[in-house]
Amino acid sequence: MTGFIEFKQARASRDWPGLARITDDINKRLEAGAFRTNYGPSLRRYLSERFWKTPVPAGAPTGRTRDAPAGTLAERNMATAQKVLAEMGAGA
């Protein structure tokens, strides 16, 4: 699974912020226009680079992010993240 090794490393180093913090960070980045609607970093990159520790860039959303339906991608991301983490917890 993509990002599983990075997830285990973050948990082992006690650097795991929890699902709520990660989904909140992703939503803030979507609202700020840091991620386009259909593109963002992979789970592996997000976890290995500790995106949640870097400040959310300020700025108005542009392009497709601005025109996207509110919350659609964020809701899908949250559902996917919860499913992946539930599967990781079941296997641990």
Side-chain angles (χ1 to χ4, degrees), residues 19-20 23-24 27 73-83:
L19 179 61
T23 55
D24 183 52
N27 286 332
L73 181 61
E75 290 169 0
R76 286 194 331 248
N77 283 343
M78 186 172 297
T80 301
Q82 288 172 341
K83 180 180 174 184

Side-chain angles (χ1 to χ4, degrees), residues 6-9 15 19 31 38-41 44 46-47 50 52 59 70-72 74 78 83:
E6 291 76 12
F7 164 76
K8 288 191 325 185
Q9 290 172 345
D15 199 18
L19 179 61
E31 291 170 6
N38 293 320
Y39 174 79
R44 176 179 294 159
Y46 184 89
L47 294 176
R50 309 290 198 256
W52 65 88
T72 304
M78 186 172 297
K83 180 180 174 184

Side-chain angles (χ1 to χ4, degrees), residues 37-61:
T37 54
N38 293 320
Y39 174 79
S42 67
L43 179 60
R44 176 179 294 159
R45 180 173 170 222
Y46 184 89
L47 294 176
S48 67
E49 293 183 17
R50 309 290 198 256
F51 269 70
W52 65 88
K53 288 184 170 187
T54 59
V56 177

